[in-house]
């Protein structure tokens, strides 16, 4: 896809406008918003985790309002069935001929942006239906394959503290999420702003600033951002160092059960490219990779039982990897 230089500048400006529109409603959480935009530009999905009341759902809904795209919310529950999200066939009758036939009635999965609220509350059968949509961008029903609308972007939320009636996501499905974003409590100053802005009578209107075709152009442009061979080698070394059987990092051998696969490296390079583009650069630098490594590896590095008992988490492994793997000197 050929994009002119003037169009490139317009697209980058629209990303900045998109972030501004979201910030009309969402106070603070600038890094979280940027990571969501990175996932959108890289063409992947996001898993958002945070305790109740941190505006996870509001954040996704606000983002959908700033995008001129179709949006559907699915509230995941233990009794949700695959047909509830994919769709089902209904029996109809031709009023002219009197013949009866089955017609596929599309479910809420047929939209550009899907808010999968409390995704870990639904059982494996429904998760498997969602997994096909996330990976193949299509769904299958009664032997017939139906392509999903593009761009297709799933933003899923889950609550880390309430585990009653939940189903942990399979590792294969977790790996399909480009980024695993953890949302923390706001700062004291941000919390004051939140309390002030949400308890008054003023409502901020969010304007749609970018459409489907422009997002497709951005996703194509993201892949055109340059990255040096040295940085690609660094990413490869970083990912390989997460695997206990081949890693030379003692911290990994002690605490990690399974390391990340090649998909993690692909995700890290793509998201680093998107982050560079958001900041108006056409080349990836080391800081882009190190910033995006945390949400990329967070759900792809599986800790052993000892680590879980001692409170050692994947972010700590990523930090140790940066210390252990020599920083490659580049011209970027």
């Amino acid at each position: 896809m050929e994009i002119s230089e003037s169009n490139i500048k317009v697209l980058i400006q629209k990303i900045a406008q998109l972030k501004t529109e979201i910030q009309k409603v969402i106070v603070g959480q600038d890094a979280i918003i940027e990571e969501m935009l990175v996932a959108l530009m890289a063409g992947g999905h996001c898993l958002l985790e945070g305790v109740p009341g941190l505006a996870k759902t509001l954040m996704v809904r606000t983002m959908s309002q700033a995008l001129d795209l179709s949006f559907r919310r699915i509230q995941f529950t233990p009794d949700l069935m695959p047909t509830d999200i994919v769709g089902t066939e209904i029996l109809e009758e031709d009023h002219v001929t009197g013949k009866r036939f089955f017609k596929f009635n599309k479910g809420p999965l047929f939209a550009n942006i899907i808010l999968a609220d409390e995704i870990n509350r639904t059982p494996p059968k429904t998760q498997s239906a969602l997994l096909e949509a996330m990976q193949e961008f299509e769904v299958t029903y009664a032997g017939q394959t139906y392509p999903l609308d593009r761009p297709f972007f799933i933003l899923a939320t889950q609550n880390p503290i309430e585990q009653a009636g939940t189903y942990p996501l399979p590792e294969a499905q977790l790996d399909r999420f480009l980024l695993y974003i953890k949302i923390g409590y706001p700062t004291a100053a941000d919390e004051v702003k939140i309390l002030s802005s949400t308890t008054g009578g003023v409502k901020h209107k969010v304007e749609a600033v970018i459409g489907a075709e422009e997002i497709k152009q951005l996703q194509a442009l993201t892949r055109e951002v340059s990255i040096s061979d040295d940085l690609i080698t660094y990413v490869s070394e970083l990912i390989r160092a997460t695997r206990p059987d081949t890693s030379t990092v003692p911290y990994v051998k002690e605490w990690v059960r399974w390391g990340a696969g090649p998909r993690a490296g692909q995700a890290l390079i793509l998201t680093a490219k998107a982050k560079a583009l958001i900041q108006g650069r056409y080349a990836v630098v080391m800081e882009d990779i190190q910033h995006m490594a945390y949400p990329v590896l967070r759900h792809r590095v599986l800790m052993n039982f000892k680590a879980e008992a001692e409170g050692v988490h994947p972010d700590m492994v990523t930090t140790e990897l940066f210390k252990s793997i020599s920083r490659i000197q580049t011209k970027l």
Side-chain angles (χ1 to χ4, degrees), residues 210-286:
I210 191 168
E213 287 305 313
E214 291 168 312
I215 291 172
K216 290 179 184 177
Q217 289 179 348
L218 271 170
Q219 290 176 345
L221 184 60
T222 296
R223 289 181 172 268
E224 297 300 319
V225 173
S226 66
I227 179 171
S228 70
D229 291 340
D230 283 344
L231 285 178
I232 293 176
T233 300
Y234 178 82
V235 169
S236 177
E237 291 180 356
L238 191 70
I239 300 305
R240 292 182 65 82
T242 65
R243 304 165 191 166
D245 54 342
T246 59
S247 180
T248 58
V249 181
Y251 196 88
V252 170
K253 290 184 174 295
E254 183 178 1
W255 303 108
V256 176
R257 180 160 55 98
W258 292 103
R263 188 180 284 120
Q266 295 169 333
L268 185 49
I269 290 174
L270 269 178
T271 53
K273 287 184 174 186
K275 181 168 176 58
L277 195 59
I278 284 178
Q279 296 181 350
R281 290 183 280 104
Y282 304 110
V284 175
V285 297
M286 179 67 76

Side-chain angles (χ1 to χ4, degrees), residues 114 117 160 190 211 248 257 277 289 300 310:
I114 306 296
D117 224 349
D190 284 341
T248 58
R257 180 160 55 98
L277 195 59
I289 291 171
R300 294 183 168 100
E310 296 290 334

Side-chain angles (χ1 to χ4, degrees), residues 43 50 55 80 122 148 179 183 193 205 210 227 269 304 310:
L80 198 72
T122 203
L148 294 167
L179 298 179
I183 303 177
K193 290 180 183 178
K205 185 178 180 180
I210 191 168
I227 179 171
I269 290 174
N304 57 31
E310 296 290 334

